[in-house]
Amino acid sequence: MKRVSIVTLLLLLASGGAAFAQADAQTDAAEIEEPALRQALRQHFENRLRMELGLTDDQTAEVLPRVERLEQERRHLRRERQEAGRELREAYRGGAPDARLQQLLDRLTELELRSQASQRELQREIDASLTVRQRVEFRFFVAGFRQELNRRLQEARRDRREAMHERRQRRRPGGGLPRQRRP
């Protein structure tokens, strides 16, 4: 996948857009590879989380590193699952024997189970620092952030595609209008 431009996402951030969210979706903050942008998005997420959940300083000190670990673990396991899926797909398309396919399928299943277990454990650690109401708010907060970030990333990609299309149209003779046949 192509990287979303740093300028686009900084504009989203400045306009009050969603920033750093936990997500397993294809279009999420985990795809953002620029370190400076990732840090800016993380800071925005942390500030909003602290404000919306009403975290105390002690809670903030406990929760934020756990949230970061949760996100790092998700990114790491997502990459492993993608690689395992790629290997399985290539082996299947290449006509690998059933024993090899089963081995690759078992690896993918193990990674999925490991990912789920890891996420549950890290979520329990986060929950241990929150009140019941904050736990509920945290779930809503993360889900809302995920949806907003995905929506804004998709809009940015659509806008970029449209801009590229318009630039191509302007390069055509006649300003992008179809050529007319001469009689």
Side-chain angles (χ1 to χ4, degrees):
M1 187 197 96
K2 293 183 180 178
R3 293 180 189 168
V4 176
S5 80
I6 193 165
V7 174
T8 301
L9 285 171
L10 286 176
L11 288 172
L12 291 173
L13 182 62
S15 68
F20 182 77
Q22 313 168 50
D24 282 325
Q26 289 288 333
T27 56
D28 68 9
E31 296 174 349
I32 301 165
E33 297 179 15
E34 295 88 355
L37 179 57
R38 181 175 286 286
Q39 179 58 34
L41 293 172
R42 181 179 300 112
Q43 188 63 48
H44 183 70
F45 173 81
E46 291 172 1
N47 291 338
R48 293 269 318 270
L49 180 69
R50 190 177 305 127
M51 182 183 70
E52 291 192 25
L53 270 64
L55 298 177
T56 66
D57 291 341
D58 289 341
Q59 285 177 313
T60 300
E62 292 175 7
V63 169
L64 292 181
R66 292 173 182 165
V67 169
E68 178 60 22
R69 263 193 15 238
L70 179 70
E71 180 60 23
Q72 287 173 352
E73 184 72 11
R74 282 186 176 186
R75 282 192 308 266
H76 172 73
L77 290 171
R78 178 183 299 122
R79 282 190 297 270
E80 283 191 44
R81 286 191 320 265
Q82 288 173 340
E83 178 60 28
R86 240 185 323 275
E87 286 180 45
L88 179 60
R89 191 172 23 264
E90 288 172 9
Y92 179 75
R93 289 179 180 160
D98 285 358
R100 176 66 178 147
L101 293 175
Q102 185 61 54
Q103 179 185 27
L104 293 170
L105 187 58
D106 290 346
R107 178 174 174 238
L108 184 60
T109 301
E110 170 59 30
L111 287 169
E112 290 167 349
L113 293 172
R114 198 171 97 204
S115 177
Q116 293 167 4
S118 173
Q119 299 307 303
R120 278 193 307 274
E121 180 58 32
L122 288 168
Q123 187 63 57
R124 276 194 288 273
E125 290 179 23
I126 292 168
D127 287 350
S129 299
L130 302 174
T131 66
V132 172
R133 291 201 176 276
Q134 287 173 323
R135 289 179 207 158
V136 172
E137 290 169 357
F138 180 77
R139 300 304 195 285
F140 291 147
F141 173 79
V142 169
F145 245 63
R146 178 184 304 140
Q147 290 171 353
E148 182 66 13
L149 179 61
N150 288 338
R151 184 182 65 77
R152 288 182 182 260
L153 286 171
Q154 288 170 353
E155 287 173 2
R157 288 182 184 121
R158 184 195 68 232
D159 292 347
R160 188 171 70 194
R161 279 192 307 270
E162 289 173 1
M164 288 173 56
H165 178 72
E166 288 175 14
R167 280 193 296 268
R168 276 186 246 132
Q169 291 296 322
R170 279 185 251 138
R171 288 184 201 147
R172 288 185 183 170
L177 298 174
R179 293 184 188 177
Q180 295 184 2
R181 294 184 188 187
R182 294 184 186 173

